[in-house]
Amino acid sequence: QCNPLNPLVLSEYLIHAFFCVMFLCAAEWLTLGLNMPLLAYHIWRYMSRPVMSGPGLYDPTTIMNADILAYCQKEGWCKLAFYLLAFFYYLYGMIYVLVSS
Amino acid sequence: MRYTFISVEMITAQQECTVPKEVYHKGPKVKEGMQYGDYVNNQASSAPTPLSSTSDDEEEEEEDEEAGVDSSSTTSSASPMPNSYDALEGGSYPDMLSSSASSPAPDPAPEPDPAPAPAPASSAPQPSKMTKPFGYGYPTLQPGYQNATAPPNSGVPPSSPGYSGFQPYAQQYPGMNQLSSGLGGLSLQSSPQPESLRPINLTQERNILPVTPVWAPVPNLNLDLKKLNCSPDSFRCTLTNIPQTQALLNKAKLPLGLLLHPFRDLTQLPVITSNTIVRCRSCRTYINPFVSFIDQRRWKCNLCYRVNDVPEEFMYNPLTRSYGEPHKRPEVQNSTVEFIASSDYMLRPPQPAVYLFVLDVSHNAVEAGYLTILCQSLLENLDKLPGDSRTRIGFMTFDSTIHFYNLQEGLSQPQMLIVSDIDDVFLPTPDSLLVNLYESKELIKDLLNALPNMFTNTRETHSALGPALQAAFKLMSPTGGRVSVFQTQLPSLGAGLLQSREDPNQRSSTKVVQHLGPATDFYKKLALDCSGQQTAVDLFLLSSQYSDLASLACMSKYSAGCIYYYPSFHYTHNPSQAEKLQKDLKRYLTRKIGFEAVMRIRCTKGLSMHTFHGNFFVRSTDLLSLANINPDAGFAVQLSIEENLTDTSLVCFQTALLYTSSKGERRIRVHTLCLPVVSSLADVYAGVDVQAAICLLANMAVDRSVSSSLSDARDALVNAVVDSLSAYGSMVSNLQHSALIAPSSLKLFPLYVLALLKQKAFRTGTSTRLDDRVYAMCQIKCQPLVHLMKMIHPNLYRIDRLTDEGAIHVNDKVVPQPPLQKLSAEKLTREGAFLMDCGSVFYIWIGKSCDNHFIEDVLGYPNFASIPQKMTHLPELDTLSSERARSFITWLRDNRPLSPILHVVKDESPAKTEFFQHLIEDRTEAAFSYYEFLLHIQHQICK
């Protein structure tokens, strides 16, 4: 049930972490600061995941509980909004730099 | 002594199977493993028990049913008749017979329903008359109904088979609170203060526990609907008056949920064969007694309110052979029905019954000696295994290697095939390991006779459970079926090996109880794979040491199996456990079973399922996937109110269980429960079903203690009482803050919560082994309500003065009905003898100065001093008191999923602590007494 989903979790987290590292290299402190809470949340989320042998976060036996399902959905929407805003912010930042240089 | 005994066995074993076992490494070579000397074939295959639908009819049902049977049989022979209304589910299951005399389930007998007059032309359609009973005529009570002084039992269906016999008692104690709380619902509208709302000062009420068993409250519906409603044995709701909004529910601080026992053994069950199963077109609800017929041709779904057409076929009533009376069809007259499903309800052809036994044969297992008992009961019950001519069976054993048994017919003796490569398990001969039970019966019997002695000289202490389960999964995956695993120790080899996690010094710690969750997800993954292939894994754990049940139980939990646990099992040192295993096995092997099942729970628009409890896999938000379903499985569901229910006065819940019977038929069992909606807080409190609420809370607490911690769960339980009572207190305006007030419907709530806190699963401070605790939690999750209640709050009876007063008659036997006693040492007198019924164990406590007559007549010993310390049987003595005691105990034992073992406990014997820890109203070193608990709650409320 969660088989297609679980491998994507770790890759999402890694991509996000990669971005953070990139910002660190570029010394973009403001952007990095914006991303730090999410990074911390990701690390916490992955530490407190259910007992699993494979990678991933979602446990097929409990995912259908209304509480957990609602939580995961809300989490998904929030992150989508965050990524979208971040995307436009990065775009704006890039264009700003291009124009100003 | 023990050594010599074993060596003798070894010699005989060597004589019997002196054959080299061929170790089987990867490769195609298969050799015969062993030969059994001169084994005589015994032709024991008796005729299979007939499963006829007419032979075991109930007396009371006969009138109705025979009309139905007649009509269908005659008409169907004459013309191609689409409908046939089979009378009853046959009584081929032993426990159905035993309870048949006492269990009036959804009882149509007293009301002369549709049947007797088969007058086809007489009933012209009368729309007004017809729609009335099915419309929402609920709030207006019928005239003769308002001065409800009906005899207590008239509207109260007994909550468990056999309780009907309490009728005389009920009249004897007319002021019984519980009876009246059931009745309270009736007079709700007419009297200002219904009985179930009568405020009770808990701290001043000394005898809170009624002397009769607690019944389920009856929903406050009009008489027609009440009569049709589902039996509380199979379907109960924690609130029989559903609050209108979530806000109201939050205000009441009570859990809302359902408790289900969907596959219960029933004595009467209408089975419907029909070409079209009438269902709502949008929400797929099955037609049920609570739908409303708008006119002759249309019905309105009671769950989604869609108007549907009545199909042509449904217009004809096979029962009365009349046309144009869709509301008289059996589907609309019974809230529990079973349909024979057509091929639309199959994803594949119905599977045969397939049973695989996976047995631990390591040194530890052989030492415990369970194999003898298992093989013996299998031999006895081989012909009673549910199934048809396609039934298949197979055996595997494992220690550090895995042994398969080729039982293909035509072989002269069983072949043992050993696979020692446990890292990459494979099946040596995939098609001859699961064999047809009837074609290879002789070989199977040979094997079962030989198995107990084959491994007597084993030195292998390791156990490769994980690889054995992988092999079992591979073997079962083409068909699906049931895998029974017998395990006696911690798995120590291959995949899924476990380490000991229990620290014995922490057993009685009051702080943190760790390791309630699984250590590895190997067993869970395996269970999910099995569930996907319609295979259920049942676990029998017979161990003396810690074996990490928390991890092992996952294999049954998520594959819809069941878990049995026999701590410190040994066939000679612990004969009571051995006897228990034997009886449990008999029930396990012969009980009904359904394969490749799914269960869907639907409820009226506005309500939604929140969380499920039980052994299953949740496939979508309302669909449970059950690889196997057995009659002893219970489920619980938490509900939430999503939309306000302001525009309706009734809500309905429907569970549909689609399964393949052991005879290869696809069947659907449908239960429908109908409950009223109320808008005031007082009505919500009036309709609390305290037992259901406790069972749901227990389920929630188990989840909580696994996901967070045990102390959290305990706090949550106490808070549940505190919140609900303080909410009630603030509702009753004229409240003196000094008193602890509860409505009569909730008066047992604090007592039951205290009982839960002292239950093995949740107690702290008392030394509890981790496995025992986890097993108790598993039991809470999957036991049906009736049995769970006994586990939580045992029943105590005084049995040295049994009389025939108020006795009931079951199968020509007189069963005395002693009153219930409070679970407190103050009730135990030295002159008495008491029986405690804890669900899975009985204790008989004998007082020090108990009457010598009783001891002699019932126990068969001259005086108190001569009673032995370990006594697990009552002798069959030919005295009146002995007969009474025995018939009472047998009656209590009937219909239990786990057959209880009996312990006779002498006052002053060391086993006494076992007994006394169940006296939950008393104080222990680590826990409150009932009175202290009440004071504690009061303190919390006032804070």
Side-chain angles (χ1 to χ4, degrees):
Chain A
Q1 199 168 11
C2 297
N3 280 348
L5 207 56
N6 271 329
L8 296 180
V9 175
L10 207 59
S11 46
E12 182 210 324
Y13 288 7
L14 287 178
I15 290 169
H16 185 253
F18 173 71
F19 269 77
C20 290
V21 170
M22 283 283 137
F23 289 134
L24 188 74
C25 296
E28 292 280 348
W29 303 119
L30 176 68
T31 326
L32 189 63
L34 287 176
N35 274 291
M36 273 329 264
L38 186 63
L39 191 69
Y41 172 75
H42 279 169
I43 291 170
W44 170 80
R45 189 78 212 270
Y46 211 74
M47 299 292 270
S48 60
R49 71 188 189 131
V51 182
M52 288 172 83
S53 51
L57 204 56
Y58 303 110
D59 180 355
T61 55
T62 54
I63 191 70
M64 282 300 163
N65 280 9
D67 280 340
I68 297 173
L69 196 60
Y71 178 80
C72 292
Q73 266 176 340
K74 221 176 281 170
E75 184 194 35
W77 284 114
C78 290
K79 272 208 270 194
L80 187 67
F82 178 81
Y83 286 141
L84 217 65
L85 286 176
F87 172 74
F88 285 114
Y89 174 70
Y90 303 156
L91 202 69
Y92 162 80
M94 190 184 80
I95 292 170
Y96 182 83
V97 169
L98 281 180
V99 168
S100 63
S101 62
Chain B
M1 184 61 207
R2 216 167 83 208
Y3 263 85
T4 57
F5 181 58
I6 284 172
S7 67
V8 168
E9 259 196 0
M10 269 158 57
I11 290 162
T12 55
Q14 274 162 3
Q15 280 169 349
E16 268 179 25
C17 26
T18 52
V19 203
K21 290 172 191 164
E22 194 91 350
V23 175
Y24 191 83
H25 278 283
K26 269 190 180 172
K29 190 174 66 175
V30 177
K31 278 208 169 181
E32 291 192 354
M34 41 185 189
Q35 294 163 331
Y36 310 116
D38 38 350
Y39 182 71
V40 188
N41 295 348
N42 52 343
Q43 299 280 356
S45 57
S46 60
T49 44
L51 180 81
S52 73
S53 55
T54 47
S55 59
D56 289 297
D57 286 6
E58 285 300 292
E59 294 256 316
E60 23 184 31
E61 270 268 293
E62 244 163 37
E63 202 179 30
D64 290 19
E65 303 301 71
E66 261 173 4
V69 171
D70 278 351
S71 77
S72 66
S73 59
T74 50
T75 47
S76 64
S77 59
S79 61
M81 195 30 60
N83 303 333
S84 71
Y85 176 38
D86 290 54
L88 287 172
E89 172 116 293
S92 71
Y93 305 104
D95 29 50
M96 296 167 88
L97 289 173
S98 60
S99 69
S100 62
S102 62
S103 155
D107 190 3
E111 281 75 29
D113 261 341
S122 69
S123 55
Q126 286 175 311
S128 65
K129 202 173 179 179
M130 198 179 78
T131 50
K132 199 177 169 190
F134 299 95
Y136 292 165
Y138 144 74
T140 53
L141 288 172
Q142 283 159 8
Y145 185 44
Q146 285 183 339
N147 41 1
T149 50
N153 284 47
S154 65
V156 186
S159 70
S160 141
Y163 286 164
S164 61
F166 276 94
Q167 239 165 11
Y169 253 108
Q171 269 134 22
Q172 218 183 335
Y173 302 94
M176 275 327 305
N177 295 323
Q178 207 47 42
L179 287 176
S180 26
S181 88
L183 271 180
L186 302 181
S187 51
L188 198 67
Q189 256 111 349
S190 53
S191 74
Q193 183 111 56
E195 176 53 39
S196 56
L197 273 179
R198 186 167 63 84
I200 289 177
N201 192 337
L202 290 173
T203 43
Q204 277 160 27
E205 192 90 6
R206 291 269 312 148
N207 291 311
I208 204 86
L209 195 73
V211 289
T212 55
V214 180
W215 281 307
V218 178
N220 174 28
L221 295 164
N222 76 32
L223 207 56
D224 285 318
L225 294 183
K226 199 176 279 180
K227 196 173 72 195
L228 292 170
N229 221 345
C230 195
S231 146
D233 287 352
S234 20
F235 212 147
R236 266 167 97 160
C237 184
T238 55
L239 303 177
T240 52
N241 293 328
I242 302 288
Q244 215 164 38
T245 60
Q246 180 73 35
L248 188 62
L249 177 63
N250 291 343
K251 225 186 275 175
K253 305 269 187 198
L254 288 164
L256 174 61
L258 301 172
L259 283 120
L260 310 170
H261 191 182
F263 203 54
R264 201 165 63 91
D265 287 325
L266 293 164
T267 44
Q268 318 172 335
L269 177 67
V271 180
I272 293 157
T273 317
S274 162
N275 284 352
T276 52
I277 295 173
V278 184
R279 300 173 70 176
C280 171
R281 230 182 298 152
S282 73
C283 67
R284 310 299 291 152
T285 300
Y286 296 83
I287 198 165
N288 58 67
F290 312 106
V291 301
S292 47
F293 283 89
I294 291 173
D295 57 39
Q296 193 70 31
R297 286 280 168 187
R298 289 179 302 161
W299 61 277
K300 190 174 169 192
C301 173
N302 53 343
L303 270 71
C304 66
Y305 308 119
R306 188 200 150 97
V307 177
N308 293 279
D309 293 332
V310 175
E312 186 58 34
E313 191 190 336
F314 202 71
M315 298 298 287
Y316 178 80
N317 187 349
L319 214 81
T320 55
R321 284 192 251 174
S322 59
Y323 185 82
E325 287 186 332
H327 59 285
K328 293 264 176 75
R329 291 264 306 188
E331 293 97 317
V332 190
Q333 289 295 330
N334 295 286
S335 59
T336 298
V337 289
E338 188 152 286
F339 296 97
I340 309 274
S342 61
S343 54
D344 305 344
Y345 292 86
M346 298 172 197
L347 291 172
R348 53 176 189 176
Q351 65 162 82
V354 183
Y355 306 106
L356 177 65
F357 293 86
V358 180
L359 313 172
D360 183 0
V361 291
S362 61
H363 178 73
N364 206 358
V366 175
E367 177 70 25
Y370 78 90
L371 273 173
T372 329
I373 297 171
L374 172 70
C375 292
Q376 197 55 43
S377 28
L378 258 173
L379 278 173
E380 280 165 18
N381 295 307
L382 212 50
D383 296 320
K384 296 186 204 143
L385 280 179
D388 53 6
S389 58
R390 302 178 300 160
T391 308
R392 298 206 279 163
I393 193 167
F395 295 89
M396 277 168 58
T397 52
F398 65 95
D399 38 38
S400 63
T401 54
I402 303 171
H403 322 132
F404 297 90
Y405 297 88
N406 184 351
L407 300 166
Q408 193 62 281
E409 63 162 326
L411 290 174
S412 53
Q413 66 276 114
Q415 279 181 336
M416 183 184 194
L417 311 165
I418 299 176
V419 173
S420 59
D421 183 8
I422 56 169
D423 295 322
D424 182 16
V425 189
F426 63 101
L427 302 177
T429 52
D431 41 1
S432 57
L433 300 177
L434 280 173
V435 292
N436 189 298
L437 176 60
Y438 298 98
E439 287 164 9
S440 307
K441 189 168 263 177
E442 290 316 316
L443 282 175
I444 293 167
K445 282 183 179 165
D446 283 359
L447 178 66
L448 287 176
N449 280 311
L451 254 185
N453 299 324
M454 270 165 57
F455 297 95
T456 35
N457 47 1
T458 185
R459 296 256 168 75
E460 195 58 68
T461 52
H462 284 294
S463 146
L465 176 66
L469 284 171
Q470 283 171 332
F473 167 66
K474 277 190 185 155
L475 193 53
M476 296 296 276
S477 52
T479 50
R482 181 174 81 186
V483 179
S484 317
V485 179
F486 289 76
Q487 172 73 9
T488 57
Q489 56 174 320
L490 213 57
S492 55
L493 269 186
L497 70 95
L498 298 168
Q499 259 91 39
S500 178
R501 297 189 290 166
E502 191 190 32
D503 178 5
N505 302 325
Q506 294 287 312
R507 274 180 193 164
S508 59
S509 124
T510 46
K511 283 166 282 166
V512 198
V513 179
Q514 282 173 318
H515 307 311
L516 291 171
T520 161
D521 71 337
F522 172 81
Y523 296 99
K524 178 156 78 183
K525 270 185 166 163
L526 188 101
L528 294 184
D529 289 343
C530 285
S531 175
Q533 301 296 336
Q534 309 292 354
T535 307
V537 185
D538 295 342
L539 172 66
F540 287 78
L541 186 63
L542 319 111
S543 71
S544 42
Q545 288 131 31
Y546 173 72
S547 25
D548 205 349
L549 186 62
S551 304
L552 292 179
C554 286
M555 70 170 122
S556 304
K557 251 184 214 169
Y558 301 113
S559 66
C562 43
I563 301 158
Y564 294 83
Y565 177 49
Y566 304 88
S568 57
F569 178 88
H570 194 279
Y571 72 121
T572 47
H573 299 324
N574 199 343
S576 62
Q577 287 284 23
E579 192 199 332
K580 184 170 156 61
L581 174 67
Q582 197 181 357
K583 286 192 173 150
D584 286 351
L585 274 174
K586 184 167 189 282
R587 162 84 181 151
Y588 174 77
L589 294 171
T590 55
R591 73 184 176 188
K592 232 176 121 165
I593 185 169
F595 296 98
E596 42 186 2
V598 287
M599 182 161 79
R600 195 183 284 275
I601 304 167
R602 297 182 174 88
C603 47
T604 299
K605 209 167 69 179
L607 294 166
S608 71
M609 307 290 148
H610 195 270
T611 309
F612 298 92
H613 303 278
N615 288 356
F616 49 71
F617 173 57
V618 194
R619 215 187 291 162
S620 77
T621 46
D622 60 347
L623 185 70
L624 307 181
S625 155
L626 303 159
N628 282 6
I629 179 77
N630 60 272
D632 304 327
F635 303 91
V637 189
Q638 275 169 261
L639 294 171
S640 60
I641 302 170
E642 302 256 291
E643 298 164 36
N644 291 353
L645 302 163
T646 35
D647 49 354
T648 174
S649 59
L650 294 173
V651 288
C652 287
F653 304 96
Q654 187 172 66
T655 56
L657 177 73
L658 173 63
Y659 68 97
T660 303
S661 75
S662 50
K663 307 276 177 237
E665 267 178 330
R666 203 72 174 141
R667 286 168 167 241
I668 312 166
R669 188 173 290 189
V670 180
H671 301 277
T672 317
L673 179 75
C674 178
L675 295 172
V677 177
V678 295
S679 55
S680 82
L681 197 53
D683 287 346
V684 175
Y685 279 110
V688 184
D689 183 341
V690 65
Q691 291 194 318
I694 281 294
C695 291
L696 188 65
L697 275 179
N699 274 305
M700 289 158 71
V702 170
D703 272 5
R704 179 69 77 88
S705 45
V706 175
S707 67
S708 124
S709 75
L710 192 68
S711 53
D712 252 26
R714 286 172 59 87
D715 291 345
L717 283 173
V718 177
N719 285 339
V721 187
V722 171
D723 288 348
S724 59
L725 291 186
S726 68
Y728 179 76
S730 57
M731 188 197 84
V732 183
S733 51
N734 56 346
L735 160 89
Q736 321 91 320
H737 271 281
S738 56
L740 187 63
I741 304 288
S744 161
S745 58
L746 270 180
K747 64 177 180 159
L748 293 172
F749 198 43
L751 177 63
Y752 284 157
V753 167
L754 180 67
L756 262 185
L757 293 177
K758 292 189 179 180
Q759 226 273 332
K760 257 188 194 156
F762 301 113
R763 73 185 179 193
T764 53
T766 320
S767 175
T768 312
R769 298 200 310 172
L770 191 54
D771 275 350
D772 287 349
R773 193 187 289 277
V774 172
Y775 180 62
M777 289 187 172
C778 296
Q779 292 279 82
I780 287 175
K781 281 283 212 174
C782 64
Q783 288 280 323
L785 186 136
V786 207
H787 307 304
L788 183 54
M789 258 345 276
K790 292 217 179 77
M791 243 179 78
I792 294 172
H793 188 271
N795 291 340
L796 184 69
Y797 307 93
R798 180 163 188 174
I799 53 162
D800 62 331
R801 288 191 210 140
L802 291 178
T803 56
D804 278 343
E805 196 178 304
I808 57 167
H809 294 260
V810 181
N811 298 343
D812 307 328
K813 268 194 171 168
V814 181
V815 180
Q817 300 291 322
L820 282 177
Q821 307 277 343
K822 198 162 102 161
L823 285 172
S824 163
E826 71 184 73
K827 290 281 169 191
L828 301 176
T829 57
R830 278 159 179 259
E831 293 80 39
F834 290 83
L835 171 72
M836 186 188 279
D837 171 12
C838 307
S840 57
V841 61
F842 287 157
Y843 295 104
I844 290 182
W845 183 84
I846 308 287
K848 212 180 198 173
S849 42
C850 182
D851 190 13
N852 275 344
H853 285 297
F854 175 78
I855 293 176
E856 197 174 342
D857 286 355
V858 176
L859 302 174
Y861 291 97
N863 53 40
F864 179 79
S866 56
I867 303 174
Q869 293 286 357
K870 273 191 182 174
M871 187 172 172
T872 54
H873 272 110
L874 288 190
E876 300 212 0
L877 299 176
D878 198 20
T879 56
L880 186 62
S881 47
S882 165
E883 210 163 277
R884 276 182 185 149
R886 276 184 292 118
S887 75
F888 181 58
I889 289 169
T890 335
W891 175 75
L892 287 175
R893 259 186 186 159
D894 273 352
N895 270 313
R896 294 282 169 90
L898 299 169
S899 82
I901 34 177
L902 182 80
H903 289 291
V904 177
V905 179
K906 273 165 77 174
D907 195 13
E908 298 183 319
S909 80
K912 176 174 93 162
T913 45
E914 285 273 304
F915 174 79
F916 276 96
Q917 73 187 17
H918 288 291
L919 295 174
I920 50 153
E921 293 198 21
D922 289 342
R923 194 199 155 93
T924 63
E925 316 90 77
F928 287 132
S929 74
Y930 178 55
Y931 189 72
E932 285 169 327
F933 184 63
L934 288 178
L935 292 182
H936 175 70
I937 288 170
Q938 196 174 356
H939 184 68
Q940 295 279 316
I941 289 175
C942 293
K943 221 164 32 180

